[in-house]
Amino acid sequence: SGMQQGTLAGKKVTLRDIKLAGEGAADKLKRVQGEIKKLRADVLVVSDPQNVAWAFNIRGSDIAHTPLVLAFAVVPREGKPSLYVDGGKLDNQTRHALEEIAVVCAPDELASDLARLKSKTLRLDQASAADVLTQLIAASGGKPARGADPITLMKAVKNQAEIAGSREAHKRDGVAVARFLAWVDNEAPKGKITEIDTVEALESFRRDTGLLKDISFPTIAGSGPHGAIVHYRVTRATNRTLGKNELFLIDSGAQYEDGTTDITRTVVVGTPSGDMRDRFTRVLKGHIAIATAVFPEGTSGAQLDPLARTALWQAGLDFDHGTGHGVGSYLSVHEGPARISKLGTVALKRGMILSNEPGYYKTGAYGIRTENLLLVIAAPEPKGAEKPLNTFETLTLAPIDRRLIDTRMLTPEERGWVDDYHARVRGEIGPLLDAPTRAWLDAATRPLGDS
């Protein structure tokens, strides 16, 4: 009906450009079928829309901030998969492309199709499959087998095209963030800007790139005591002005077609207290410990997590959240299965993208968090090494507030890391900035030894 077309007009399914995806859907589905055979299952029921999007190289706009289409898929170990998606969201070209690799079905056909698979073993994703699917399959004589969806791990390991796209997205995002931080430095001391002003300004700098699809989650902008509320979301009722001699924490991200970003910076407006500098530097030491970690193949996030906390623990301090989460490729900013936390049991593999975000929160006073995204890469192997080694490449490019760093607390190696990182930011972002912002960036990224 005309009305239905109207409501779906903005909800079109799009095909992911192969140059950005780096692998065709048909090849991905062949690899998925290989995993289904290894699991000794007959069929995989794909219930997580992130996994459907990755496997079929499709994106949509059914969910805020994440380019997903609400869809299911059923992949047999041999033959064509079935994709269950609202036909009103497919234009002719998209439908035609999908019909070459799948049987395109209406969502309400899923239940009857599953009921027909009598005596077959159906793998269900324990993380996302509704209980009702298990009951339905069992009731009609199928064998439900709950476990991990193999696509989750496949999707987490980015290929060369996705990695190149992420690097480009981070460079573009770094330009927007540098412009924003320069603006805050200029405006906040006048005592007029509010948390809502900062959220709007940062989004407008990102929109100026011309390639922003959406922000990747609602921005967390906490000034003073609001910074201590980990998932604070400013409203008209809670909005406050950035005050003098206060810390300001801003955690935000962007969705670009070539990559998803997530960055947190903590800056001072005015002069920080000794306490603030001490805590900021301990958080930074943890951030650097993760960024420079070298670890054998097979190491899990849980094994790295204490590195982010050591400097805080030594002062009897800690933070009550994980150190990092996986990030998708123009998909969800929070992506499994890998993470850096006490609960992160999945091995970190080359090609995974994770956040590195230690923090410290003093209730009623301030919050500190420094977050960059990292890519797992091969590390050079020393002579006599008996295991392949991995390390991280930092993807995020934006200055870290030098005014908050107590250099006396840093080792020469840590100081070297900060200076090298800032030199990289200056080299990659500087040429893309207008003259006043570039001058600000030159000062913000100068070596720690320079006053």
Side-chain angles (χ1 to χ4, degrees), residues 11-14 58 69 83 85-96 98-99 104-105:
K11 302 275 188 197
K12 287 275 176 251
V13 170
T14 57
I58 54 175
V69 55
L83 176 64
V85 58
D86 185 334
K89 295 175 187 175
L90 306 175
D91 62 26
N92 291 342
Q93 185 193 354
T94 305
R95 177 181 281 276
H96 181 73
L98 289 172
E99 280 174 347
V104 178
C105 312

Side-chain angles (χ1 to χ4, degrees), residues 193-249:
I193 64 170
T194 67
E195 292 166 337
I196 288 177
D197 293 332
T198 68
V199 172
E200 289 172 349
L202 180 50
E203 190 169 341
S204 80
F205 288 127
R206 284 194 164 116
R207 264 201 306 274
D208 287 346
T209 65
L211 291 168
L212 181 71
K213 288 290 187 184
D214 195 353
I215 55 173
S216 53
F217 57 94
T219 302
I220 298 166
S223 67
H226 287 168
I229 305 165
V230 175
H231 293 290
Y232 174 71
R233 262 182 85 175
V234 59
T235 62
R236 300 263 169 235
T238 65
N239 192 28
R240 77 189 283 278
T241 304
L242 276 59
K244 198 135 183 66
N245 306 332
E246 284 185 347
L247 296 186
F248 170 60
L249 181 158

Side-chain angles (χ1 to χ4, degrees), residues 77-215:
R77 58 194 289 172
E78 274 150 15
K80 251 188 181 180
S82 299
L83 176 64
Y84 298 82
V85 58
D86 185 334
K89 295 175 187 175
L90 306 175
D91 62 26
N92 291 342
Q93 185 193 354
T94 305
R95 177 181 281 276
H96 181 73
L98 289 172
E99 280 174 347
E100 289 188 2
I101 53 164
V103 181
V104 178
C105 312
D108 57 14
E109 293 174 57
L110 176 66
S112 54
D113 286 1
L114 290 176
R116 270 201 285 280
L117 299 169
K118 295 180 185 7
S119 76
K120 298 247 191 267
T121 300
L122 282 79
R123 177 78 167 199
L124 290 159
D125 180 19
Q126 63 195 19
S128 67
D131 231 25
V132 61
L133 289 178
T134 310
Q135 290 157 14
L136 175 87
I137 291 160
S140 52
K143 301 192 190 96
R146 291 181 81 90
D149 177 343
I151 297 173
T152 307
L153 187 56
M154 295 167 74
K155 171 171 100 284
V157 176
K158 312 301 186 271
N159 61 41
Q160 286 311 309
E162 291 169 315
I163 290 167
S166 185
R167 289 195 186 110
E168 280 303 305
H170 278 92
K171 200 186 272 198
R172 181 185 313 124
D173 206 52
V175 168
V177 172
R179 292 181 65 201
F180 169 77
L181 292 172
W183 173 83
V184 170
D185 252 11
N186 204 29
E187 297 300 321
K190 300 174 189 171
K192 295 270 193 292
I193 64 170
T194 67
E195 292 166 337
I196 288 177
D197 293 332
T198 68
V199 172
E200 289 172 349
L202 180 50
E203 190 169 341
S204 80
F205 288 127
R206 284 194 164 116
R207 264 201 306 274
D208 287 346
T209 65
L211 291 168
L212 181 71
K213 288 290 187 184
D214 195 353
I215 55 173

